[in-house]
Amino acid sequence: MSELDLDALIDDPAIRIVVTCGSGGVGKTTTAAALGLRAAERGRKVVVLTIDPARRLAQSLGLTELDNTPRAVAGVGGDGRLDAMMLDMKRTFDEVVLAHATPEKAEQILANPFYLALSSSFAGTQEYMAMEKLGQLHKQAVASGDWDLIIVDTPPSRSALDFLDAPERLASLLEGRFLRLLLAPAKGPFRLMSTAVNMAMSVMNKILGAQVLTDVQTFVAAFDTLFGGFRKRADKTVALLREPQTAFLVVAAPQNDALREASYFTERLRQENMPLAGVVLNRVTNSEATELSAERSLAAAEKLEEADKSPLTAALLRLHADKMQQVVADHKRADRFKRGHRSIPTVEVAALADDVHDLAGLRLIGDLLTA
Amino acid sequence: MARLHVVTGKGGTGKTTVAAAMALALAGQGQRVLLVEVEGRQGIAQIFDVPPLPYVERKIATGVGGGEVFALAVDAEAALLEYLDMYYHLGRAGKALDKVGAIDFVTTIAPGLRDVLLTGKVYEATRRKAHGKLAYDAVVVDAPPTGRIGPFLNVNHEVADLAKVGPIRNQADAIMGMLRSDVTRIHLVTLLEEMPVQETLDAVEQLEALDLRIGSIVVNMVRHSPLDDEALALAVKEKIPAAELTKGLRAAGVAVSKELVATLAAEARDHAVRVGLERENRDRIDALGKQVTELMLQPEGIDHGALIDLAEEFRG
C-alpha cells in the first residue's frame, strides 16, 4: 500500500493531463478544482474543464459566464495561472459542425430536427463532447503554450465508464454497416443492396415513419464529411489518454457503492492501458480524539444522564460516539479497499464540515489532498 | 390513485435504496409491486443481495400482508427486439435489423431512443392486465438521476415532435399521457446538502414545466442531533464552556485532557455548522410546498434489514 503523492504529480512537468473520475457525489469536481488551483499556485499554467459544478463551487471559480471558453480565475496566487470553464455540450457540438463543415452544410445540419434532438437532449452526447473539448484544449495548449496542464472532470454518468466508452462507441458506430446503409440511398442505386438491408430499410420506414427516416438520412448525408474527422479526433483523444503525459485519478468516498465503482474503474483503466496515478478516498471521517471510542463515549454519556449531570457534556459525548462510529466504519471500508488494491497509490482526505464555496476552501482541500 | 412511482435523485443520494424501500413499503400494504431498474447498474440485485437480474420479472421479496415485490432490469436492446416483435411481428426482419447493426445504431447514436424503449417498457408493465385485472398494483422505477430525469421522462414528447404520424407517434402520445396523468408520481431523493438540494429544486421546476407531477421529496440519510438548539447555538459561537465540559467529563469517569475538551468542542462546532446548513437546505425544500418524507441514516450501510426499517419509515 503506497501513499499517493499529488504534489509530485502536479509538479511533474511531464504530466500534461489529469482526469478525475468516479461515481456521482464523491467530490470529483471539487477535487479537480482544488488540484487545479494548487498546481497553478505552484507555478503551472492550468486549465480546468468542469462538467457540472455545484453553484457555489462554480462561483468560487468565477464561472458565471457560460460561453464555453476558458476564463481566468481571479484571486490565484503564485506565478502560474488558472483558467476554468464549464462544458456546454450543445455549443461544443455546434462549434464542431461550424468548424468542419461548409457554411451551407453546417446550416443544414444545425437546423435538422434529428441533430437538434441529438445535440441537446439525448444522453451520451455529453461524454462525446467532453472528449471533443479535451481534444480541443490539448490542441490549443500545444499550439499556443497557454497551458501546460489540463485537468478534466468527467460527466456525472450513470456509470463512470461511459466517459471511456464514448469515443470507442463512436468509432465503432462509424465503422458500422448501418450508417453506410443509411447513406446508400443518397449515394447509389438501391438495387445493389442485399435482401437483409432492404428488409431492414423497409422495417425502419414502417416503424419510424418516413419523416424520421428522411430526417436521419438528411442528417447523416450532411454529416458524412464530418464523421471522418470525428473518428480521427476520437481516436486521437483515446490515444492521448493512454500516453504517459496523462494521469487518471479515481475519486471515491468510503461508501460501498462508490468503492465498488472505483474498483471497477481502476480495473478497467488497467485493461485499457490507461495510466492510473491513484485513488483519492474522499470525505473520510476523522477525529482528533480517537482514544475515546464510540462505546466508551456512549457509556459515559449514559452515566451522566442517569446521574442527571451536565446534559451539555452528555450531548457532546453522544455526538462524539456517533462520530467515532462513522470514523470506524469509514476506515474499515477504506482499509478494505486499500488491502484489495495494494499496488494502487491512495490518499485519504478528511471530511469537511462545510461545502467549498471559495478559493480558500479549495486551498484547504488542496492541503488535505497532499497532507 | 398513483400507481407508477418514478424515483430520481442526484447520484449518491441513495435513490436505488429509496426506490427499493418504497417498493417494500407498498408490498407491506399487501400490494403486488414491480421494481424496475433502467440504467443497467444491477443496483437492485446488489441491495437485495440476489444474482444479477435478467430481462425477466422475478420475485425478490415478500411483504407482510401478502404483498410481493418483483424486480426487472430493463435492457434497451432486448426491449427493442421485444417491441418490434410485439407490434410488427418481425421474426426474420428483427434479426436482419440486428445483423446490419441497426439495433446497435439506435441504442448508440440515438441514446434518446434508448429512453423511448425504457419508458415504453415501464408503460407496458404499468398497464398490463392478467386474468382480467392489473398485473401489478404498483410499479416503482429506479429512474435516471435528476440531471437526466426531465429528458428521460419527456423523450416521448420529443419523439412526438419528430414523428408527426404513425404507430410511433401513437405510442409516444399514449406514454406521455400516462406519465402526465394521475397514475404517475415523481419522487425526488435528496440529502440536506447544497448540490443535491439545488438539483432537486431545479428538477422540480423542470418537471412541472413539462406537466409532470411531483409526488414527494424524500430527504435521505437524516441524522438527528443529540444537541438541543441552545447547545447548537453555543457550539456554533465556539462558546461551549470548557469548565463545565471538564467537570462533566470527570463526573462521567473519562480521563480529561485539555486536548480532549478542545476536540469535543471543535467537533460540536463542526456539527453545529453542518446542522445550520442542513436547516437552510431543509427550509429550501419546505418552501416547495411538497410532501416531504424523511428517512434516517443507516449507519451500518444498506442491507435487507435496513431496507425493511426504511420501508417502515415510509409507511410512517
PDB file of all heavy atoms in Angstrom, chain A residues 54-56 118 122-123 158 178 207 260 287 304 310 319-320 354-355, chain B residues 39 46 84 100 105 109 111-112 148 168 194-195 198 202 244 267 277:
ATOM      1  N   ALA A  54     -21.136  22.397  -8.701  1.00  0.00           N
ATOM      2  CA  ALA A  54     -22.105  22.975  -7.775  1.00  0.00           C
ATOM      3  C   ALA A  54     -22.064  24.487  -7.945  1.00  0.00           C
ATOM      4  O   ALA A  54     -21.027  25.058  -8.283  1.00  0.00           O
ATOM      5  CB  ALA A  54     -21.755  22.601  -6.344  1.00  0.00           C
ATOM      6  N   ARG A  55     -23.186  25.126  -7.710  1.00  0.00           N
ATOM      7  CA  ARG A  55     -23.269  26.555  -7.955  1.00  0.00           C
ATOM      8  C   ARG A  55     -22.203  27.346  -7.195  1.00  0.00           C
ATOM      9  O   ARG A  55     -21.542  28.207  -7.747  1.00  0.00           O
ATOM     10  CB  ARG A  55     -24.655  27.052  -7.576  1.00  0.00           C
ATOM     11  CG  ARG A  55     -25.260  27.890  -8.679  1.00  0.00           C
ATOM     12  CD  ARG A  55     -26.750  27.925  -8.587  1.00  0.00           C
ATOM     13  NE  ARG A  55     -27.334  27.042  -9.583  1.00  0.00           N
ATOM     14  CZ  ARG A  55     -28.585  27.136  -9.974  1.00  0.00           C
ATOM     15  NH1 ARG A  55     -29.372  28.053  -9.475  1.00  0.00           N
ATOM     16  NH2 ARG A  55     -29.072  26.316 -10.886  1.00  0.00           N
ATOM     17  N   ARG A  56     -22.067  27.013  -5.898  1.00  0.00           N
ATOM     18  CA  ARG A  56     -21.106  27.774  -5.097  1.00  0.00           C
ATOM     19  C   ARG A  56     -19.680  27.517  -5.542  1.00  0.00           C
ATOM     20  O   ARG A  56     -18.838  28.410  -5.523  1.00  0.00           O
ATOM     21  CB  ARG A  56     -21.288  27.433  -3.620  1.00  0.00           C
ATOM     22  CG  ARG A  56     -22.581  28.008  -3.060  1.00  0.00           C
ATOM     23  CD  ARG A  56     -22.938  27.393  -1.751  1.00  0.00           C
ATOM     24  NE  ARG A  56     -22.121  27.916  -0.671  1.00  0.00           N
ATOM     25  CZ  ARG A  56     -22.179  27.450   0.581  1.00  0.00           C
ATOM     26  NH1 ARG A  56     -22.997  26.472   0.880  1.00  0.00           N
ATOM     27  NH2 ARG A  56     -21.420  27.966   1.514  1.00  0.00           N
ATOM     28  N   LEU A 118     -30.370  15.177 -30.993  1.00  0.00           N
ATOM     29  CA  LEU A 118     -29.114  14.504 -30.654  1.00  0.00           C
ATOM     30  C   LEU A 118     -28.212  15.399 -29.817  1.00  0.00           C
ATOM     31  O   LEU A 118     -27.611  14.971 -28.848  1.00  0.00           O
ATOM     32  CB  LEU A 118     -28.399  14.107 -31.953  1.00  0.00           C
ATOM     33  CG  LEU A 118     -27.065  13.380 -31.817  1.00  0.00           C
ATOM     34  CD1 LEU A 118     -27.278  11.975 -31.305  1.00  0.00           C
ATOM     35  CD2 LEU A 118     -26.348  13.340 -33.158  1.00  0.00           C
ATOM     36  N   PHE A 122     -30.435  14.296 -25.922  1.00  0.00           N
ATOM     37  CA  PHE A 122     -30.178  12.873 -25.815  1.00  0.00           C
ATOM     38  C   PHE A 122     -28.935  12.585 -24.976  1.00  0.00           C
ATOM     39  O   PHE A 122     -27.917  13.262 -25.089  1.00  0.00           O
ATOM     40  CB  PHE A 122     -30.058  12.246 -27.203  1.00  0.00           C
ATOM     41  CG  PHE A 122     -31.391  12.087 -27.881  1.00  0.00           C
ATOM     42  CD1 PHE A 122     -31.476  11.983 -29.248  1.00  0.00           C
ATOM     43  CD2 PHE A 122     -32.564  12.033 -27.139  1.00  0.00           C
ATOM     44  CE1 PHE A 122     -32.710  11.842 -29.879  1.00  0.00           C
ATOM     45  CE2 PHE A 122     -33.792  11.889 -27.760  1.00  0.00           C
ATOM     46  CZ  PHE A 122     -33.864  11.799 -29.133  1.00  0.00           C
ATOM     47  N   ALA A 123     -29.051  11.573 -24.133  1.00  0.00           N
ATOM     48  CA  ALA A 123     -27.948  11.227 -23.245  1.00  0.00           C
ATOM     49  C   ALA A 123     -26.790  10.644 -24.045  1.00  0.00           C
ATOM     50  O   ALA A 123     -26.981  10.107 -25.109  1.00  0.00           O
ATOM     51  CB  ALA A 123     -28.427  10.215 -22.218  1.00  0.00           C
ATOM     52  N   ARG A 158     -24.239   7.695 -15.681  1.00  0.00           N
ATOM     53  CA  ARG A 158     -24.888   6.626 -14.939  1.00  0.00           C
ATOM     54  C   ARG A 158     -23.806   5.661 -14.477  1.00  0.00           C
ATOM     55  O   ARG A 158     -23.909   4.992 -13.478  1.00  0.00           O
ATOM     56  CB  ARG A 158     -25.935   5.917 -15.785  1.00  0.00           C
ATOM     57  CG  ARG A 158     -25.387   5.163 -16.956  1.00  0.00           C
ATOM     58  CD  ARG A 158     -26.487   4.857 -17.972  1.00  0.00           C
ATOM     59  NE  ARG A 158     -25.893   4.475 -19.235  1.00  0.00           N
ATOM     60  CZ  ARG A 158     -25.762   3.203 -19.606  1.00  0.00           C
ATOM     61  NH1 ARG A 158     -26.165   2.237 -18.836  1.00  0.00           N
ATOM     62  NH2 ARG A 158     -25.210   2.921 -20.758  1.00  0.00           N
ATOM     63  N   PHE A 178     -24.617   0.011 -40.636  1.00  0.00           N
ATOM     64  CA  PHE A 178     -25.908   0.670 -40.679  1.00  0.00           C
ATOM     65  C   PHE A 178     -25.813   2.103 -41.189  1.00  0.00           C
ATOM     66  O   PHE A 178     -26.671   2.582 -41.918  1.00  0.00           O
ATOM     67  CB  PHE A 178     -26.542   0.650 -39.288  1.00  0.00           C
ATOM     68  CG  PHE A 178     -27.964   1.116 -39.309  1.00  0.00           C
ATOM     69  CD1 PHE A 178     -28.928   0.377 -39.970  1.00  0.00           C
ATOM     70  CD2 PHE A 178     -28.332   2.291 -38.683  1.00  0.00           C
ATOM     71  CE1 PHE A 178     -30.239   0.803 -40.010  1.00  0.00           C
ATOM     72  CE2 PHE A 178     -29.648   2.716 -38.726  1.00  0.00           C
ATOM     73  CZ  PHE A 178     -30.599   1.973 -39.382  1.00  0.00           C
ATOM     74  N   ILE A 207     -41.499   1.531 -38.962  1.00  0.00           N
ATOM     75  CA  ILE A 207     -41.510   1.829 -37.535  1.00  0.00           C
ATOM     76  C   ILE A 207     -41.357   3.318 -37.262  1.00  0.00           C
ATOM     77  O   ILE A 207     -42.079   3.905 -36.475  1.00  0.00           O
ATOM     78  CB  ILE A 207     -40.361   1.100 -36.800  1.00  0.00           C
ATOM     79  CG1 ILE A 207     -40.481  -0.410 -37.003  1.00  0.00           C
ATOM     80  CG2 ILE A 207     -40.386   1.430 -35.325  1.00  0.00           C
ATOM     81  CD1 ILE A 207     -39.254  -1.146 -36.589  1.00  0.00           C
ATOM     82  N   ARG A 260     -17.083   0.288  -4.835  1.00  0.00           N
ATOM     83  CA  ARG A 260     -17.275  -0.759  -5.843  1.00  0.00           C
ATOM     84  C   ARG A 260     -17.037  -0.166  -7.233  1.00  0.00           C
ATOM     85  O   ARG A 260     -16.329  -0.738  -8.057  1.00  0.00           O
ATOM     86  CB  ARG A 260     -18.706  -1.288  -5.731  1.00  0.00           C
ATOM     87  CG  ARG A 260     -18.916  -2.637  -6.373  1.00  0.00           C
ATOM     88  CD  ARG A 260     -20.151  -3.311  -5.823  1.00  0.00           C
ATOM     89  NE  ARG A 260     -21.246  -2.395  -5.636  1.00  0.00           N
ATOM     90  CZ  ARG A 260     -22.050  -2.391  -4.573  1.00  0.00           C
ATOM     91  NH1 ARG A 260     -21.885  -3.262  -3.606  1.00  0.00           N
ATOM     92  NH2 ARG A 260     -23.026  -1.525  -4.486  1.00  0.00           N
ATOM     93  N   SER A 287     -11.327  11.900  13.541  1.00  0.00           N
ATOM     94  CA  SER A 287     -11.493  12.580  14.823  1.00  0.00           C
ATOM     95  C   SER A 287     -10.119  12.766  15.451  1.00  0.00           C
ATOM     96  O   SER A 287      -9.221  11.957  15.245  1.00  0.00           O
ATOM     97  CB  SER A 287     -12.384  11.757  15.758  1.00  0.00           C
ATOM     98  OG  SER A 287     -12.352  12.313  17.056  1.00  0.00           O
ATOM     99  N   LEU A 304     -23.778  10.061  32.794  1.00  0.00           N
ATOM    100  CA  LEU A 304     -24.166  11.436  33.143  1.00  0.00           C
ATOM    101  C   LEU A 304     -25.677  11.597  33.145  1.00  0.00           C
ATOM    102  O   LEU A 304     -26.251  12.241  34.027  1.00  0.00           O
ATOM    103  CB  LEU A 304     -23.552  12.436  32.156  1.00  0.00           C
ATOM    104  CG  LEU A 304     -22.057  12.721  32.294  1.00  0.00           C
ATOM    105  CD1 LEU A 304     -21.615  13.654  31.176  1.00  0.00           C
ATOM    106  CD2 LEU A 304     -21.744  13.335  33.649  1.00  0.00           C
ATOM    107  N   SER A 310     -24.709  17.483  34.001  1.00  0.00           N
ATOM    108  CA  SER A 310     -24.254  18.154  32.773  1.00  0.00           C
ATOM    109  C   SER A 310     -24.818  17.582  31.472  1.00  0.00           C
ATOM    110  O   SER A 310     -24.146  16.847  30.749  1.00  0.00           O
ATOM    111  CB  SER A 310     -22.719  18.145  32.696  1.00  0.00           C
ATOM    112  OG  SER A 310     -22.324  18.878  31.555  1.00  0.00           O
ATOM    113  N   LEU A 319     -22.533  12.907  20.648  1.00  0.00           N
ATOM    114  CA  LEU A 319     -22.104  13.372  19.331  1.00  0.00           C
ATOM    115  C   LEU A 319     -20.780  12.718  18.940  1.00  0.00           C
ATOM    116  O   LEU A 319     -20.604  12.238  17.813  1.00  0.00           O
ATOM    117  CB  LEU A 319     -21.940  14.897  19.377  1.00  0.00           C
ATOM    118  CG  LEU A 319     -21.673  15.582  18.047  1.00  0.00           C
ATOM    119  CD1 LEU A 319     -22.886  15.443  17.138  1.00  0.00           C
ATOM    120  CD2 LEU A 319     -21.360  17.056  18.273  1.00  0.00           C
ATOM    121  N   HIS A 320     -19.862  12.692  19.916  1.00  0.00           N
ATOM    122  CA  HIS A 320     -18.561  12.079  19.652  1.00  0.00           C
ATOM    123  C   HIS A 320     -18.723  10.578  19.360  1.00  0.00           C
ATOM    124  O   HIS A 320     -18.034  10.031  18.497  1.00  0.00           O
ATOM    125  CB  HIS A 320     -17.630  12.298  20.857  1.00  0.00           C
ATOM    126  CG  HIS A 320     -16.271  11.702  20.645  1.00  0.00           C
ATOM    127  ND1 HIS A 320     -15.366  12.201  19.738  1.00  0.00           N
ATOM    128  CD2 HIS A 320     -15.673  10.622  21.215  1.00  0.00           C
ATOM    129  CE1 HIS A 320     -14.267  11.462  19.749  1.00  0.00           C
ATOM    130  NE2 HIS A 320     -14.423  10.490  20.641  1.00  0.00           N
ATOM    131  N   ASP A 354     -18.123  21.960   6.143  1.00  0.00           N
ATOM    132  CA  ASP A 354     -18.822  22.916   5.285  1.00  0.00           C
ATOM    133  C   ASP A 354     -18.580  22.589   3.801  1.00  0.00           C
ATOM    134  O   ASP A 354     -17.595  21.937   3.463  1.00  0.00           O
ATOM    135  CB  ASP A 354     -18.266  24.323   5.608  1.00  0.00           C
ATOM    136  CG  ASP A 354     -19.182  25.416   5.098  1.00  0.00           C
ATOM    137  OD1 ASP A 354     -20.181  25.084   4.420  1.00  0.00           O
ATOM    138  OD2 ASP A 354     -18.891  26.589   5.373  1.00  0.00           O
ATOM    139  N   ASP A 355     -19.475  23.012   2.932  1.00  0.00           N
ATOM    140  CA  ASP A 355     -19.248  22.895   1.491  1.00  0.00           C
ATOM    141  C   ASP A 355     -18.161  23.900   1.080  1.00  0.00           C
ATOM    142  O   ASP A 355     -18.033  24.950   1.685  1.00  0.00           O
ATOM    143  CB  ASP A 355     -20.506  23.273   0.701  1.00  0.00           C
ATOM    144  CG  ASP A 355     -21.664  22.339   0.964  1.00  0.00           C
ATOM    145  OD1 ASP A 355     -21.413  21.154   1.234  1.00  0.00           O
ATOM    146  OD2 ASP A 355     -22.821  22.809   0.904  1.00  0.00           O
TER     147      ASP A 355
ATOM    148  N   GLU B  39     -31.068   1.522 -15.696  1.00  0.00           N
ATOM    149  CA  GLU B  39     -29.752   2.046 -16.057  1.00  0.00           C
ATOM    150  C   GLU B  39     -28.675   0.977 -16.165  1.00  0.00           C
ATOM    151  O   GLU B  39     -27.491   1.291 -16.245  1.00  0.00           O
ATOM    152  CB  GLU B  39     -29.327   3.093 -15.038  1.00  0.00           C
ATOM    153  CG  GLU B  39     -30.276   4.250 -14.990  1.00  0.00           C
ATOM    154  CD  GLU B  39     -29.546   5.553 -14.974  1.00  0.00           C
ATOM    155  OE1 GLU B  39     -29.054   5.905 -13.918  1.00  0.00           O
ATOM    156  OE2 GLU B  39     -29.449   6.189 -16.040  1.00  0.00           O
ATOM    157  N   GLN B  46     -27.849  -5.865  -6.131  1.00  0.00           N
ATOM    158  CA  GLN B  46     -26.863  -5.652  -5.077  1.00  0.00           C
ATOM    159  C   GLN B  46     -27.532  -5.391  -3.733  1.00  0.00           C
ATOM    160  O   GLN B  46     -27.143  -5.951  -2.719  1.00  0.00           O
ATOM    161  CB  GLN B  46     -25.942  -4.483  -5.438  1.00  0.00           C
ATOM    162  CG  GLN B  46     -24.819  -4.902  -6.370  1.00  0.00           C
ATOM    163  CD  GLN B  46     -24.166  -3.723  -7.054  1.00  0.00           C
ATOM    164  OE1 GLN B  46     -24.374  -2.575  -6.673  1.00  0.00           O
ATOM    165  NE2 GLN B  46     -23.366  -3.996  -8.054  1.00  0.00           N
ATOM    166  N   LEU B  84     -40.386  -4.695 -31.256  1.00  0.00           N
ATOM    167  CA  LEU B  84     -40.573  -4.961 -32.683  1.00  0.00           C
ATOM    168  C   LEU B  84     -41.440  -6.190 -32.885  1.00  0.00           C
ATOM    169  O   LEU B  84     -42.317  -6.222 -33.748  1.00  0.00           O
ATOM    170  CB  LEU B  84     -39.205  -5.161 -33.351  1.00  0.00           C
ATOM    171  CG  LEU B  84     -38.311  -3.931 -33.394  1.00  0.00           C
ATOM    172  CD1 LEU B  84     -36.960  -4.271 -33.982  1.00  0.00           C
ATOM    173  CD2 LEU B  84     -38.978  -2.814 -34.184  1.00  0.00           C
ATOM    174  N   VAL B 100     -27.504  -5.873 -39.547  1.00  0.00           N
ATOM    175  CA  VAL B 100     -26.888  -4.706 -40.187  1.00  0.00           C
ATOM    176  C   VAL B 100     -26.456  -3.664 -39.141  1.00  0.00           C
ATOM    177  O   VAL B 100     -25.965  -2.612 -39.490  1.00  0.00           O
ATOM    178  CB  VAL B 100     -27.805  -4.016 -41.225  1.00  0.00           C
ATOM    179  CG1 VAL B 100     -28.110  -4.964 -42.354  1.00  0.00           C
ATOM    180  CG2 VAL B 100     -29.070  -3.505 -40.576  1.00  0.00           C
ATOM    181  N   PHE B 105     -27.113   0.793 -33.656  1.00  0.00           N
ATOM    182  CA  PHE B 105     -27.208   2.191 -34.083  1.00  0.00           C
ATOM    183  C   PHE B 105     -28.201   2.970 -33.226  1.00  0.00           C
ATOM    184  O   PHE B 105     -27.861   3.996 -32.656  1.00  0.00           O
ATOM    185  CB  PHE B 105     -27.613   2.255 -35.547  1.00  0.00           C
ATOM    186  CG  PHE B 105     -27.823   3.665 -36.041  1.00  0.00           C
ATOM    187  CD1 PHE B 105     -26.750   4.427 -36.457  1.00  0.00           C
ATOM    188  CD2 PHE B 105     -29.092   4.226 -36.057  1.00  0.00           C
ATOM    189  CE1 PHE B 105     -26.936   5.725 -36.895  1.00  0.00           C
ATOM    190  CE2 PHE B 105     -29.289   5.528 -36.493  1.00  0.00           C
ATOM    191  CZ  PHE B 105     -28.204   6.274 -36.918  1.00  0.00           C
ATOM    192  N   ILE B 109     -26.126   5.892 -31.265  1.00  0.00           N
ATOM    193  CA  ILE B 109     -26.080   7.292 -31.682  1.00  0.00           C
ATOM    194  C   ILE B 109     -27.314   8.036 -31.208  1.00  0.00           C
ATOM    195  O   ILE B 109     -27.284   9.239 -30.999  1.00  0.00           O
ATOM    196  CB  ILE B 109     -25.926   7.462 -33.198  1.00  0.00           C
ATOM    197  CG1 ILE B 109     -25.615   8.935 -33.490  1.00  0.00           C
ATOM    198  CG2 ILE B 109     -27.157   7.017 -33.951  1.00  0.00           C
ATOM    199  CD1 ILE B 109     -24.871   9.192 -34.736  1.00  0.00           C
ATOM    200  N   PRO B 111     -29.168   7.723 -28.174  1.00  0.00           N
ATOM    201  CA  PRO B 111     -29.483   7.149 -26.870  1.00  0.00           C
ATOM    202  C   PRO B 111     -30.871   7.585 -26.393  1.00  0.00           C
ATOM    203  O   PRO B 111     -31.448   6.963 -25.515  1.00  0.00           O
ATOM    204  CB  PRO B 111     -28.396   7.696 -25.951  1.00  0.00           C
ATOM    205  CG  PRO B 111     -27.323   8.210 -26.848  1.00  0.00           C
ATOM    206  CD  PRO B 111     -28.005   8.626 -28.111  1.00  0.00           C
ATOM    207  N   GLY B 112     -31.406   8.631 -27.002  1.00  0.00           N
ATOM    208  CA  GLY B 112     -32.768   9.042 -26.686  1.00  0.00           C
ATOM    209  C   GLY B 112     -33.752   7.927 -26.985  1.00  0.00           C
ATOM    210  O   GLY B 112     -34.728   7.733 -26.277  1.00  0.00           O
ATOM    211  N   ARG B 148     -30.835  13.936 -15.525  1.00  0.00           N
ATOM    212  CA  ARG B 148     -31.335  13.345 -16.766  1.00  0.00           C
ATOM    213  C   ARG B 148     -32.824  13.053 -16.742  1.00  0.00           C
ATOM    214  O   ARG B 148     -33.383  12.598 -17.728  1.00  0.00           O
ATOM    215  CB  ARG B 148     -30.598  12.007 -17.018  1.00  0.00           C
ATOM    216  CG  ARG B 148     -29.306  12.173 -17.722  1.00  0.00           C
ATOM    217  CD  ARG B 148     -28.761  10.999 -18.518  1.00  0.00           C
ATOM    218  NE  ARG B 148     -29.344   9.692 -18.388  1.00  0.00           N
ATOM    219  CZ  ARG B 148     -30.223   9.180 -19.252  1.00  0.00           C
ATOM    220  NH1 ARG B 148     -30.647   9.868 -20.269  1.00  0.00           N
ATOM    221  NH2 ARG B 148     -30.669   7.964 -19.092  1.00  0.00           N
ATOM    222  N   ILE B 168     -45.486   4.987 -34.073  1.00  0.00           N
ATOM    223  CA  ILE B 168     -44.561   5.506 -33.075  1.00  0.00           C
ATOM    224  C   ILE B 168     -45.181   6.717 -32.402  1.00  0.00           C
ATOM    225  O   ILE B 168     -45.124   6.885 -31.187  1.00  0.00           O
ATOM    226  CB  ILE B 168     -43.218   5.911 -33.729  1.00  0.00           C
ATOM    227  CG1 ILE B 168     -42.353   4.677 -33.909  1.00  0.00           C
ATOM    228  CG2 ILE B 168     -42.522   6.972 -32.933  1.00  0.00           C
ATOM    229  CD1 ILE B 168     -41.157   4.613 -33.018  1.00  0.00           C
ATOM    230  N   GLU B 194     -25.945  21.156  -0.311  1.00  0.00           N
ATOM    231  CA  GLU B 194     -26.205  22.181  -1.319  1.00  0.00           C
ATOM    232  C   GLU B 194     -26.550  21.620  -2.696  1.00  0.00           C
ATOM    233  O   GLU B 194     -27.580  21.931  -3.277  1.00  0.00           O
ATOM    234  CB  GLU B 194     -24.983  23.102  -1.442  1.00  0.00           C
ATOM    235  CG  GLU B 194     -25.238  24.274  -2.376  1.00  0.00           C
ATOM    236  CD  GLU B 194     -24.056  24.620  -3.254  1.00  0.00           C
ATOM    237  OE1 GLU B 194     -22.969  24.043  -3.067  1.00  0.00           O
ATOM    238  OE2 GLU B 194     -24.217  25.457  -4.151  1.00  0.00           O
ATOM    239  N   MET B 195     -25.653  20.794  -3.199  1.00  0.00           N
ATOM    240  CA  MET B 195     -25.772  20.310  -4.577  1.00  0.00           C
ATOM    241  C   MET B 195     -27.039  19.479  -4.812  1.00  0.00           C
ATOM    242  O   MET B 195     -27.792  19.771  -5.734  1.00  0.00           O
ATOM    243  CB  MET B 195     -24.536  19.475  -4.826  1.00  0.00           C
ATOM    244  CG  MET B 195     -23.771  19.492  -6.062  1.00  0.00           C
ATOM    245  SD  MET B 195     -23.852  20.660  -7.321  1.00  0.00           S
ATOM    246  CE  MET B 195     -23.481  19.594  -8.681  1.00  0.00           C
ATOM    247  N   GLN B 198     -30.076  21.757  -4.591  1.00  0.00           N
ATOM    248  CA  GLN B 198     -30.184  22.622  -5.763  1.00  0.00           C
ATOM    249  C   GLN B 198     -30.718  21.830  -6.951  1.00  0.00           C
ATOM    250  O   GLN B 198     -31.606  22.279  -7.674  1.00  0.00           O
ATOM    251  CB  GLN B 198     -28.817  23.236  -6.093  1.00  0.00           C
ATOM    252  CG  GLN B 198     -28.871  24.294  -7.183  1.00  0.00           C
ATOM    253  CD  GLN B 198     -29.826  25.431  -6.811  1.00  0.00           C
ATOM    254  OE1 GLN B 198     -29.749  25.974  -5.708  1.00  0.00           O
ATOM    255  NE2 GLN B 198     -30.749  25.755  -7.707  1.00  0.00           N
ATOM    256  N   ASP B 202     -34.110  22.481  -9.035  1.00  0.00           N
ATOM    257  CA  ASP B 202     -34.084  22.627 -10.498  1.00  0.00           C
ATOM    258  C   ASP B 202     -34.980  21.588 -11.162  1.00  0.00           C
ATOM    259  O   ASP B 202     -35.710  21.895 -12.101  1.00  0.00           O
ATOM    260  CB  ASP B 202     -32.649  22.474 -11.031  1.00  0.00           C
ATOM    261  CG  ASP B 202     -31.752  23.627 -10.605  1.00  0.00           C
ATOM    262  OD1 ASP B 202     -32.289  24.650 -10.131  1.00  0.00           O
ATOM    263  OD2 ASP B 202     -30.513  23.515 -10.736  1.00  0.00           O
ATOM    264  N   GLU B 244     -17.350  23.618  32.375  1.00  0.00           N
ATOM    265  CA  GLU B 244     -18.464  22.679  32.559  1.00  0.00           C
ATOM    266  C   GLU B 244     -18.158  21.334  31.902  1.00  0.00           C
ATOM    267  O   GLU B 244     -18.434  20.269  32.455  1.00  0.00           O
ATOM    268  CB  GLU B 244     -19.765  23.259  31.972  1.00  0.00           C
ATOM    269  CG  GLU B 244     -20.939  22.328  32.268  1.00  0.00           C
ATOM    270  CD  GLU B 244     -22.245  22.708  31.578  1.00  0.00           C
ATOM    271  OE1 GLU B 244     -22.396  23.882  31.207  1.00  0.00           O
ATOM    272  OE2 GLU B 244     -23.103  21.816  31.418  1.00  0.00           O
ATOM    273  N   GLU B 267     -15.563  19.437  17.618  1.00  0.00           N
ATOM    274  CA  GLU B 267     -16.484  18.526  16.926  1.00  0.00           C
ATOM    275  C   GLU B 267     -17.911  19.068  17.003  1.00  0.00           C
ATOM    276  O   GLU B 267     -18.674  18.975  16.038  1.00  0.00           O
ATOM    277  CB  GLU B 267     -16.405  17.118  17.530  1.00  0.00           C
ATOM    278  CG  GLU B 267     -15.129  16.382  17.120  1.00  0.00           C
ATOM    279  CD  GLU B 267     -15.030  14.953  17.655  1.00  0.00           C
ATOM    280  OE1 GLU B 267     -15.923  14.521  18.428  1.00  0.00           O
ATOM    281  OE2 GLU B 267     -14.054  14.279  17.310  1.00  0.00           O
ATOM    282  N   LEU B 277     -26.379  24.430   8.121  1.00  0.00           N
ATOM    283  CA  LEU B 277     -26.506  24.302   6.660  1.00  0.00           C
ATOM    284  C   LEU B 277     -27.660  23.383   6.296  1.00  0.00           C
ATOM    285  O   LEU B 277     -28.430  23.654   5.370  1.00  0.00           O
ATOM    286  CB  LEU B 277     -25.210  23.742   6.064  1.00  0.00           C
ATOM    287  CG  LEU B 277     -24.009  24.673   6.007  1.00  0.00           C
ATOM    288  CD1 LEU B 277     -22.766  23.905   5.570  1.00  0.00           C
ATOM    289  CD2 LEU B 277     -24.274  25.819   5.037  1.00  0.00           C
TER     290      LEU B 277
END
